[in-house]
Amino acid sequence: MSSKDKLKHTHQLLQLERQADLEQYRQKVLMRSLHQRTKEGVTWYPVRLLRDYIGTGERVMIEIEKTNNLDQPHSFQSGKVVSLFTNVSGKPEKQHVNGVINYVRENMMTITLNGDDVPDWIEDGSLGVDVMFDEMTYREMDYALKKVMEAEDNRLAELREILLGDYKFQIKDFKSSAIFNLKSEINYLNESQQEAVKKVVEAPDVAFIHGPPGTGKTTTIVEAIKLTIREEKQVLVSAPSNAAVDLLVEKLSAQGLNTLRIGHPARVTEQSLSKTLDVKISEHNHFGELRALRRKMEQMRHQAGQYKRNFGHHEREQRRLLRDEAKLLKADADTLEFYIINDLLNHAEAICCTLVGSSHPVLKGRKFKTVFIDEAGQALEPACWIPLLKSNRVIFAGDHCQLPPTIKSREAANQGLAKTLFEKGIEKFPVLASMLKVQYRMHESIMEFPSHYFYNDELIAHESVKHELLRSHEQPIEFIDTAGCGYSEKQDPETLSRFNQEEAEMLIRQVEKLVESVGTSTWLDEKITLGIITPYSAQVDRLQHLAENSEILEPLHRLISINTVDAFQGQERDVIAISFVRSNEKSEVGFLADIRRTNVAITRARKKLVMIGDSATLAGHPFYAELVEFLQQNGFYKSAYSL
């Protein structure tokens, strides 16, 4: 297939994904009654307005509170687009306003509204909030793919052929890095990190940093960005998620780089807020002048609006003059704001945004010599092309052996949408990829199996973590086998998610024993962190309920996190406990067949890993059969009967 044919196929898969996503949204939101939507957790209703105020970047914000269904699980989270509506008229579609969630805490939510004012009907009561379908993301991916397909005789066409076409890379194509003494600059990095940075600096078109768990990928990419800025003055830094972008903003700022965060303030962490365009505009030397112009413009508009319908020629003329004056003031304010934004963009060294965020209007027409794409192993290919439209060179960083992109359409995933540009590139150009090999997170025994299965036995545990145990007598790993115990999985009839009540109870008992053996006061004094991971959301609910009702775990609740694998990506804990859930006569592992998720779960642990599962079911899959064999050979295996 030619590169254009490949892109055409990807474009078709993207349409399948959009249809599947929209259908899920229709089933959950559009096709349901208000009562059903509330029960499903895609609507909060009724809600009470606590306050409205002007927030970051002079944006209108509201704080609302849910007044019933207080313990109902829901789909709301920071950064999601929502619609605030009133149900008074019975026609909420005519009285609604969209916005973006800043944060959700228990039964309270803060939303940044789209628009310049709070709607009049907000005082009428009967308010609710719906989750919205994210059409904009698909629109931008669609546009980017079409642009790449159309590209001829330009740099974008060259990058398309390099990444997807018949381009053959030659080692002589590397640039010389003689412009500075790299060795002395990066001698604090380990050998594989130094090699990765050198490759990034020298690569003329594309390079890949492959960062397995705990190997210092962020440290390496930050150093590579620093050195690239020294040569190019400015780079574009991107990632699929806001969390990944904010981490880079934090690290780059700590290095003293002038970092500018592009994106909606509601989607940004508190630490990164000061780097956002909105905040930097408000701190600019000319902002006082801009605010004065806007204030005067609003006064003119207000005066013009005070005239009643029944008035004469003189009053009509006055209103026209006031409106014309307001328009002139708005034009002046827009010009000044344009100047401020461009001043900030021109002086920024690292411009940071999500992949989709790189299509932001303020970046229109801007070109970058290099774009860095972090967490590229989780990025859909169409999304990666959005920042590539603006760039001459691309550096990918990630790990295709960890979590894949989230895809709603199984058909699209099976036909290739799940394979990222990062993975395709590493397969095509292994010479351009550098794998980081020294990991600084986990005990060597916890590292051993993932290193063997996913990373060709190339990972090395750094001396600082190699022998680190929770306690000197503690084993680093325990696998508790529930085979033959009759701990059968069940399915939640509403969510269709799997759970295993007996296995959840067993896991909490084992965690309680571990806490008792260490001692609660020691656990608290040393701030030992514990993560409880399971692939299924229904099992998360059961584990949370059991942990909340445990007298032993109650004092440690701030040190304990319980969630799905996806929520733990990029994180680590002193102790990790995993509940595999699946236990059935057919040896079906379902969702667990994506072994990259299990790789992520295992490699979150620093000093202690506890796993509970049914080997009779799990061993039906070759990965788990090999894992169980490894555990048995190393003395990490226990039968639930022996406990």
Side-chain angles (χ1 to χ4, degrees), residues 249-262:
V249 168
E250 190 185 320
K251 301 291 185 189
L252 291 167
S253 301
Q255 293 289 323
L257 294 169
N258 184 347
T259 309
L260 181 62
R261 172 71 157 98
I262 305 294

PDB file of all heavy atoms in Angstrom, residues 249-262:
ATOM      1  N   VAL A 249       5.121  20.570  31.266  1.00  0.00           N
ATOM      2  CA  VAL A 249       5.148  22.005  31.566  1.00  0.00           C
ATOM      3  C   VAL A 249       5.867  22.235  32.896  1.00  0.00           C
ATOM      4  O   VAL A 249       6.729  23.111  33.021  1.00  0.00           O
ATOM      5  CB  VAL A 249       3.711  22.589  31.618  1.00  0.00           C
ATOM      6  CG1 VAL A 249       3.698  23.993  32.220  1.00  0.00           C
ATOM      7  CG2 VAL A 249       3.099  22.615  30.224  1.00  0.00           C
ATOM      8  N   GLU A 250       5.509  21.407  33.885  1.00  0.00           N
ATOM      9  CA  GLU A 250       6.107  21.523  35.218  1.00  0.00           C
ATOM     10  C   GLU A 250       7.623  21.282  35.166  1.00  0.00           C
ATOM     11  O   GLU A 250       8.412  22.051  35.718  1.00  0.00           O
ATOM     12  CB  GLU A 250       5.435  20.481  36.122  1.00  0.00           C
ATOM     13  CG  GLU A 250       5.747  20.596  37.588  1.00  0.00           C
ATOM     14  CD  GLU A 250       5.126  19.443  38.389  1.00  0.00           C
ATOM     15  OE1 GLU A 250       3.976  19.043  38.099  1.00  0.00           O
ATOM     16  OE2 GLU A 250       5.820  18.934  39.280  1.00  0.00           O
ATOM     17  N   LYS A 251       8.033  20.207  34.458  1.00  0.00           N
ATOM     18  CA  LYS A 251       9.456  19.845  34.393  1.00  0.00           C
ATOM     19  C   LYS A 251      10.261  20.860  33.576  1.00  0.00           C
ATOM     20  O   LYS A 251      11.393  21.207  33.942  1.00  0.00           O
ATOM     21  CB  LYS A 251       9.628  18.442  33.782  1.00  0.00           C
ATOM     22  CG  LYS A 251       8.930  17.333  34.544  1.00  0.00           C
ATOM     23  CD  LYS A 251       9.572  17.056  35.888  1.00  0.00           C
ATOM     24  CE  LYS A 251       8.936  15.879  36.585  1.00  0.00           C
ATOM     25  NZ  LYS A 251       9.403  15.721  37.967  1.00  0.00           N
ATOM     26  N   LEU A 252       9.702  21.331  32.472  1.00  0.00           N
ATOM     27  CA  LEU A 252      10.409  22.302  31.622  1.00  0.00           C
ATOM     28  C   LEU A 252      10.558  23.643  32.334  1.00  0.00           C
ATOM     29  O   LEU A 252      11.610  24.289  32.260  1.00  0.00           O
ATOM     30  CB  LEU A 252       9.675  22.478  30.288  1.00  0.00           C
ATOM     31  CG  LEU A 252       9.705  21.267  29.341  1.00  0.00           C
ATOM     32  CD1 LEU A 252       8.694  21.438  28.219  1.00  0.00           C
ATOM     33  CD2 LEU A 252      11.091  21.043  28.769  1.00  0.00           C
ATOM     34  N   SER A 253       9.508  24.049  33.043  1.00  0.00           N
ATOM     35  CA  SER A 253       9.561  25.308  33.805  1.00  0.00           C
ATOM     36  C   SER A 253      10.615  25.231  34.899  1.00  0.00           C
ATOM     37  O   SER A 253      11.331  26.198  35.158  1.00  0.00           O
ATOM     38  CB  SER A 253       8.192  25.611  34.429  1.00  0.00           C
ATOM     39  OG  SER A 253       7.208  25.706  33.430  1.00  0.00           O
ATOM     40  N   ALA A 254      10.717  24.038  35.528  1.00  0.00           N
ATOM     41  CA  ALA A 254      11.709  23.853  36.595  1.00  0.00           C
ATOM     42  C   ALA A 254      13.136  23.972  36.061  1.00  0.00           C
ATOM     43  O   ALA A 254      14.064  24.281  36.807  1.00  0.00           O
ATOM     44  CB  ALA A 254      11.514  22.483  37.254  1.00  0.00           C
ATOM     45  N   GLN A 255      13.302  23.759  34.757  1.00  0.00           N
ATOM     46  CA  GLN A 255      14.618  23.896  34.126  1.00  0.00           C
ATOM     47  C   GLN A 255      14.900  25.351  33.705  1.00  0.00           C
ATOM     48  O   GLN A 255      15.908  25.638  33.067  1.00  0.00           O
ATOM     49  CB  GLN A 255      14.703  22.989  32.887  1.00  0.00           C
ATOM     50  CG  GLN A 255      14.684  21.510  33.195  1.00  0.00           C
ATOM     51  CD  GLN A 255      15.968  21.031  33.853  1.00  0.00           C
ATOM     52  OE1 GLN A 255      17.049  21.485  33.540  1.00  0.00           O
ATOM     53  NE2 GLN A 255      15.834  20.118  34.808  1.00  0.00           N
ATOM     54  N   GLY A 256      13.963  26.251  34.041  1.00  0.00           N
ATOM     55  CA  GLY A 256      14.158  27.669  33.731  1.00  0.00           C
ATOM     56  C   GLY A 256      13.778  28.050  32.316  1.00  0.00           C
ATOM     57  O   GLY A 256      14.095  29.163  31.854  1.00  0.00           O
ATOM     58  N   LEU A 257      13.088  27.159  31.602  1.00  0.00           N
ATOM     59  CA  LEU A 257      12.683  27.473  30.225  1.00  0.00           C
ATOM     60  C   LEU A 257      11.395  28.295  30.229  1.00  0.00           C
ATOM     61  O   LEU A 257      10.506  28.070  31.056  1.00  0.00           O
ATOM     62  CB  LEU A 257      12.462  26.181  29.433  1.00  0.00           C
ATOM     63  CG  LEU A 257      13.719  25.332  29.195  1.00  0.00           C
ATOM     64  CD1 LEU A 257      13.346  23.962  28.649  1.00  0.00           C
ATOM     65  CD2 LEU A 257      14.676  26.030  28.228  1.00  0.00           C
ATOM     66  N   ASN A 258      11.294  29.229  29.307  1.00  0.00           N
ATOM     67  CA  ASN A 258      10.084  30.042  29.162  1.00  0.00           C
ATOM     68  C   ASN A 258       9.021  29.164  28.496  1.00  0.00           C
ATOM     69  O   ASN A 258       9.055  28.925  27.289  1.00  0.00           O
ATOM     70  CB  ASN A 258      10.380  31.282  28.310  1.00  0.00           C
ATOM     71  CG  ASN A 258       9.171  32.202  28.213  1.00  0.00           C
ATOM     72  OD1 ASN A 258       8.051  31.822  28.563  1.00  0.00           O
ATOM     73  ND2 ASN A 258       9.381  33.409  27.733  1.00  0.00           N
ATOM     74  N   THR A 259       8.108  28.660  29.310  1.00  0.00           N
ATOM     75  CA  THR A 259       7.125  27.661  28.861  1.00  0.00           C
ATOM     76  C   THR A 259       5.738  28.280  28.777  1.00  0.00           C
ATOM     77  O   THR A 259       5.295  28.945  29.705  1.00  0.00           O
ATOM     78  CB  THR A 259       7.108  26.475  29.851  1.00  0.00           C
ATOM     79  OG1 THR A 259       8.447  26.022  30.044  1.00  0.00           O
ATOM     80  CG2 THR A 259       6.276  25.333  29.341  1.00  0.00           C
ATOM     81  N   LEU A 260       5.072  28.049  27.667  1.00  0.00           N
ATOM     82  CA  LEU A 260       3.720  28.593  27.463  1.00  0.00           C
ATOM     83  C   LEU A 260       2.757  27.438  27.231  1.00  0.00           C
ATOM     84  O   LEU A 260       2.947  26.632  26.320  1.00  0.00           O
ATOM     85  CB  LEU A 260       3.715  29.545  26.260  1.00  0.00           C
ATOM     86  CG  LEU A 260       2.384  30.231  25.926  1.00  0.00           C
ATOM     87  CD1 LEU A 260       1.909  31.118  27.073  1.00  0.00           C
ATOM     88  CD2 LEU A 260       2.514  31.049  24.654  1.00  0.00           C
ATOM     89  N   ARG A 261       1.726  27.347  28.057  1.00  0.00           N
ATOM     90  CA  ARG A 261       0.734  26.257  27.978  1.00  0.00           C
ATOM     91  C   ARG A 261      -0.484  26.749  27.203  1.00  0.00           C
ATOM     92  O   ARG A 261      -1.177  27.677  27.638  1.00  0.00           O
ATOM     93  CB  ARG A 261       0.344  25.816  29.391  1.00  0.00           C
ATOM     94  CG  ARG A 261      -0.821  24.815  29.462  1.00  0.00           C
ATOM     95  CD  ARG A 261      -0.401  23.457  28.950  1.00  0.00           C
ATOM     96  NE  ARG A 261      -1.231  22.388  29.477  1.00  0.00           N
ATOM     97  CZ  ARG A 261      -2.268  21.830  28.830  1.00  0.00           C
ATOM     98  NH1 ARG A 261      -2.604  22.262  27.614  1.00  0.00           N
ATOM     99  NH2 ARG A 261      -2.953  20.842  29.386  1.00  0.00           N
ATOM    100  N   ILE A 262      -0.729  26.134  26.037  1.00  0.00           N
ATOM    101  CA  ILE A 262      -1.898  26.482  25.227  1.00  0.00           C
ATOM    102  C   ILE A 262      -3.027  25.516  25.576  1.00  0.00           C
ATOM    103  O   ILE A 262      -2.815  24.301  25.607  1.00  0.00           O
ATOM    104  CB  ILE A 262      -1.576  26.369  23.715  1.00  0.00           C
ATOM    105  CG1 ILE A 262      -0.364  27.218  23.343  1.00  0.00           C
ATOM    106  CG2 ILE A 262      -2.794  26.759  22.877  1.00  0.00           C
ATOM    107  CD1 ILE A 262      -0.534  28.702  23.463  1.00  0.00           C
TER     108      ILE A 262
END
